[in-house]
Amino acid sequence: MAQDEFSIIRQYFHDVGPECADVRLGIGDDAAVIAVPDGMQLAVSIDTLISGVHFPPDTAAADVAAKALAVNLSDLAAMAATPSWFLLSISLPGFDADWLQQFSDGLRRSAERYDVQLIGGDTCRGQLSITVQIAGLVPADGYVSRAGASVGDLVLVSGQLGNAGLGLAHLQGSLELPEELASRCVRALNRPQPRLDLVDFLRNFASAAIDISDGLQGDLGHILEASGCGARIEQGALPVDPWIEQHDLYRYALASGDDYQICCTLAPRHRGEVENWNSQYPERSLTIIGEVVDSGFLLRVGDEWIDLGNHGGFRHFE
Ligand code: ADP
Ligand code: MG
């Protein structure tokens, strides 16, 4: 590289995100040191984005940075944890000052927006790949896992499903979308919005939660597997763009990746809380799509029940 990694770190990765009081030692030593406040627990997660696998190689550097952080923030949102710090391991094919500046600017904007501080990482040369490890706080044993769903619970999702999948299909030329929808869907693909605005709801009411990174079918499937139960959901209840409904392309809502919405389950006694939440926060609204049952994973389409068990969701090694 035209510059050594220390000057890259200094120039592009110092002072990213607001300084957090619990950080005793940040970038520059062999490890960062963090104080965990009394009564809190750390939730930690890591995700890698590889060029050509997780994003098209020509994706703008600022989008790549925002997405690398967003997918990790999304994992903490699904645990009902509040993100605080992150580490960044980046592998770069070479020194490209413009690319790095845009990456750094995008990272800085997202870190500030979501109030997370970059406290360390690793920088090396190789195929473009970005790994973010995130850590956040949750009140002791206040986290929400995938394993807490019970028979009779309601199944909910946030936002709209399938838009990122439509965006990718549009970029790959396999779908032609109307212009306005195309730009909205490409934006959903490149700039997922981690649903940290749902953390309070999840902490107070959810029995189980997951972020939808690989499609509802696969990800709700993970809740059911971890919780040892089944579900029945309604295709007609899925929150989708009207275009998906008109063209009967629900497979994008069920089995395409990168939505980063939240799927959660809720004891039926909390049903009223969904209505309260939706009227209080219409822009964060949650949609009831079905219920948890003893076993089996079925989708109702009109009068038919379709078996969703054992397939769906992107798998790297298939
Ligand atoms: P070491 O040799 O101990 O692994 P490095 O030379 O990899 O240390 O990194 C020096 C310092 O810079 C460390 O504090 C490390 O956490 C930080 N760092 C390295 N790369 C990054 C990066 N991409 N983003 C943020 N901090 C980084
Ligand atoms: Mg290192």
Side-chain angles (χ1 to χ4, degrees), residues 75 79 144-149 207-211 219 222-224 226-227:
D75 281 323
M79 300 300 291
V144 176
S145 77
R146 299 176 180 188
S207 51
I210 192 167
D211 69 321
D219 288 324
H222 292 314
I223 288 185
L224 302 178
S227 301

Side-chain angles (χ1 to χ4, degrees), residues 195-216:
R195 298 308 308 266
L196 291 162
D197 54 351
L198 299 174
V199 163
D200 284 344
F201 182 91
L202 297 172
R203 214 176 266 175
N204 288 330
F205 306 116
S207 51
I210 192 167
D211 69 321
I212 307 177
S213 54
D214 297 325
L216 176 67

Side-chain angles (χ1 to χ4, degrees), residues 266-282:
L266 199 71
R269 69 177 186 281
H270 292 317
R271 183 186 280 269
E273 300 294 347
V274 182
E275 286 147 33
N276 292 344
W277 179 265
N278 289 350
S279 57
Q280 200 178 347
Y281 304 110

Side-chain angles (χ1 to χ4, degrees), residues 78 155-158 202 208-212 216 219-220 223 261-265 289:
V155 180
L156 287 81
V157 294
S158 65
L202 297 172
I210 192 167
D211 69 321
I212 307 177
L216 176 67
D219 288 324
L220 174 54
I223 288 185
Q261 294 296 339
I262 297 285
C263 174
C264 67
T265 59
I289 60 164

